[in-house]
Amino acid sequence: MYKRQTDNYVQKNYHLLVNHTFTPQWRLNAGLHYTTGDGYYQEYKIGRKLVEYGMKPYEVSGENVTKSDLVRKKAMDNWFGGGIFSVSYTNDRLNASLGGGLNRYDGDHFGKVLWVKNYLGQLNPDNDYYRNNATKNDGNIYLKANYELGGGVSAYADLQYRHITYKMHGRNDKWNDDTNALQTLHIEDKFDFFNPKAGINFHNNGHNAFVSFSVANREPNRDNFTEAGPEERPTHETLYDYEAGYSFGNNRFRVGANLYFMDYNNQLILTGKISEIGEALTSNIKDSYRMGIELTGGVSITPVSYTHLTLP
């Protein structure tokens, strides 16, 4: 057992928040945030190919050694920062808000070899056998509102536009047998998403019902890009969600049912595979769906009573 195996990560968070009420109807919320992250893990690996770590084979007693036990250190140094805001308006029938945000992530991933068993060559623990940088810019703006139509009926809408740019360059820590070298990352991608939501709610004398429709888009994450095969290019998933529900309740019981149909395009699903560090991996599936019904119910068997105790 390798006694110096370790996993370390330190994160520091900074926030600046502003809240202001102009009038009883108008409010402003804004914030700036900045997060730094620095960490590494160090582990003992058995029988690894030296060429995958930027080292040449060596000879011991006339035998050409191409594999050996070694200690490697994988590290990351990243930061995430940006700002968000929202302006809200409220009156007797309308609740509305306009908001958005702009964020940037910048992260370096790199690895070093600290020790190699019986290695006869020159070993530089400060040398990176792989290094890559990833940046992600994410901007969004939204407008949402809820309006009381009367008679227990209300309607809501939520419209969001989101723009994302990905850039990833450098050497990955995955070996490419076709090129006989570490994989080269040269990823530049962008996504433009429009995510609308709308629905109608009804409530009257314990009766509640709703219908809704929404669209949601999700971009691939860093692992989707770095863990993909040479011929695989991950893309974003899109969800079309249809829902309807009804419930009734009073002070003794409540019952309800929700119907849903979730239609996916290019859904990112778990494949059952895991990465070298134990992360669950996902992959795009062209067409998939989920549908079902959710039933709820509850009853109060005995009346609920409360006892208040005042201490001297």
Side-chain angles (χ1 to χ4, degrees), residues 1-8 41-45:
M1 181 178 179
Y2 180 57
K3 295 182 179 181
R4 297 183 64 184
Q5 181 159 327
T6 184
D7 192 344
N8 301 273
Y41 65 90
Q42 183 174 307
E43 58 188 349
Y44 190 100
K45 306 299 290 184

Side-chain angles (χ1 to χ4, degrees), residues 180-193:
N180 201 32
L182 290 173
Q183 293 177 359
T184 299
L185 295 175
H186 182 69
I187 298 167
E188 295 189 2
D189 216 337
K190 66 179 181 178
F191 304 94
D192 289 280
F193 297 145

